[in-house]
Amino acid sequence: MRLSRLADYGTVVMGYMAGDPAAVHTATGISAAIGIAPPTVSKLLKILSRRGLLVSLRGSRGGYRLSRRPGRITVAEVVEAVEGTIALTECSGVMCRCSMEPGCTVQREWRQINRRLRGVLDGVTVADLARKRTRKGPSGRTPGAVAAKPDATVAVDHRS
Amino acid sequence: MRLSRLADYGTVVMGYMAGDPAAVHTATGISAAIGIAPPTVSKLLKILSRRGLLVSLRGSRGGYRLSRRPGRITVAEVVEAVEGTIALTECSGVMCRCSMEPGCTVQREWRQINRRLRGVLDGVTVADLARKRTRKGPSGRTPGAVAAKPDATVAVDHRS
DNA sequence: TAATACAGTACCAATTTAGTCCTGTATTGC
DNA sequence: GCAATACAGGACTAAATTGGTACTGTATTA
């Protein structure tokens, strides 16, 4: 259930750009700032601009800029731009390849879960990704309980 | 962000078994019922029993049985049993391999999202997976708004 | 006109994962 | 006791995905 690494990077890039929302950022500049290989960042930026999340400016002094205010671009949009879909299961659309009996109850629940997941991802904007915990951010929403807990308690097994 | 197919199958198997919670199910029987290849079902059942979600009974007349009431086994547990972790990002634990500045704000938000995702998955039990929409199920909770909408409106792009 | 920077596509390599098979062990029933 | 059933565990193979790179083309600025 991991995000593709590219989608993960996508949020990092957008978070970085949201730190200076009006500026025009070049691929090489972003690459140097966040420590991801230039061709990879470039690939990502192309995708994000093709999907309308970024505006690209060609030529000398060109680069990329957020197409909207960072508080108006959600993580769901970023993930969807890179991955194409927000869904944990394949049986989330109308047709399902699995040969279960009609009215598969498992599928019904998964659709509900996928819908809720989208809600979660829609609840976080790229402005949130950029906002430092102590300083007050530029956009309206407040992180609330998010900033409270340093979260040193979680211990996750990363293997498979 | 797709679940591994094995984890997806896991919910199907558990949902099927939850339809007859007290019964002892054999791997071949389950395989025939849900249309997944026997070795694959077998592999899955071994994993689920090793993780304590199922009880295995060896020998003739053996098989597998749910270790708890279906209303007490959540989808989160099933997914975690098969996949090992419930998290969309790698940077969800205490340590993170990415060389971002300390106090990476992106990571902070992802941790929050992952926590909420777990909440969503914890909100659905295998009893829900088995419950038919018209008949009243055996366990307490009601599907509520879930059953209302046949959901023929979603059109998801399955590629990539 | 030269330099900069994006656009698009194609390609290679590595990782992951699905799926199968084989050997071993426990339990039941004859 | 013996045969049949069914799970336990691990190894292995093949395929799909995806990460990352490179190359050619085009637009814009100085």
Side-chain angles (χ1 to χ4, degrees):
Chain A
M1 71 162 9
R2 283 280 160 66
L3 235 50
S4 73
R5 194 159 345 169
L6 218 51
D8 193 344
Y9 288 168
T11 62
V12 176
V13 168
M14 292 296 279
Y16 172 74
M17 294 178 77
D20 196 351
V24 173
H25 303 265
T26 66
T28 53
I30 295 172
S31 166
I34 65 180
I36 299 173
T40 302
V41 172
S42 178
K43 183 183 194 173
L44 197 43
L45 290 167
K46 287 174 207 169
I47 293 170
L48 293 169
S49 80
R50 208 179 310 150
R51 295 287 198 269
L53 266 43
L54 299 177
V55 173
S56 72
L57 300 160
R58 310 236 277 201
S60 171
R61 303 192 56 186
Y64 296 90
R65 214 185 50 219
L66 297 183
S67 67
R68 280 174 263 157
R69 287 177 36 218
R72 299 273 180 176
I73 302 175
T74 70
V75 171
E77 288 178 287
V78 177
V79 170
E80 196 166 38
V82 180
E83 301 225 321
T85 304
I86 293 179
L88 293 174
T89 51
E90 257 173 286
C91 282
S92 43
V94 274
M95 264 314 281
C96 167
R97 91 267 168 263
C98 73
S99 52
M100 292 286 293
E101 76 275 20
C104 167
T105 55
V106 176
Q107 184 181 352
R108 180 191 66 207
E109 295 299 319
W110 273 117
R111 278 211 278 253
Q112 180 73 0
I113 289 169
N114 287 328
R115 221 171 289 139
R116 288 180 186 153
L117 170 60
R118 187 170 229 300
V120 170
L121 260 32
D122 259 322
V124 181
T125 71
V126 300
D128 297 324
L129 297 179
R131 188 156 30 235
K132 291 272 188 284
R133 70 188 69 191
T134 46
R135 294 173 51 211
K136 286 171 64 175
S139 115
R141 223 164 344 163
T142 55
V146 180
K149 211 175 169 189
D151 202 298
T153 57
V154 195
V156 185
D157 186 359
H158 278 173
R159 286 155 305 184
S160 174
Chain B
M1 71 164 6
R2 282 282 160 66
L3 235 50
S4 73
R5 198 166 331 179
L6 217 51
D8 192 344
Y9 288 168
T11 62
V12 176
V13 167
M14 292 297 278
Y16 171 74
M17 293 179 78
D20 195 352
V24 173
H25 303 266
T26 67
T28 53
I30 294 172
S31 166
I34 65 179
I36 299 173
T40 302
V41 172
S42 178
K43 183 183 194 172
L44 197 43
L45 290 167
K46 286 175 207 170
I47 293 169
L48 293 169
S49 79
R50 208 180 311 152
R51 296 286 198 266
L53 267 44
L54 299 178
V55 173
S56 71
L57 301 160
R58 310 236 276 201
S60 172
R61 302 193 56 186
Y64 296 91
R65 215 185 49 219
L66 296 183
S67 68
R68 280 174 262 156
R69 288 178 34 218
R72 298 273 178 177
I73 302 174
T74 71
V75 171
E77 288 178 287
V78 177
V79 170
E80 195 166 38
V82 179
E83 300 224 322
T85 304
I86 292 179
L88 294 175
T89 51
E90 256 172 286
C91 282
S92 44
V94 274
M95 264 316 280
C96 167
R97 91 269 170 260
C98 72
S99 52
M100 293 285 291
E101 77 274 20
C104 168
T105 56
V106 175
Q107 184 182 352
R108 181 192 64 207
E109 295 299 319
W110 273 117
R111 278 212 278 254
Q112 180 73 1
I113 289 169
N114 287 328
R115 222 171 290 138
R116 288 181 185 151
L117 170 59
R118 188 173 227 296
V120 169
L121 260 30
D122 259 323
V124 181
T125 70
V126 300
D128 297 324
L129 297 179
R131 187 152 34 232
K132 291 272 190 285
R133 70 187 71 192
T134 46
R135 294 171 51 209
K136 286 172 62 174
S139 116
R141 224 167 345 164
T142 56
V146 180
K149 210 174 170 192
D151 201 300
T153 58
V154 196
V156 184
D157 187 358
H158 278 174
R159 286 155 305 187
S160 167

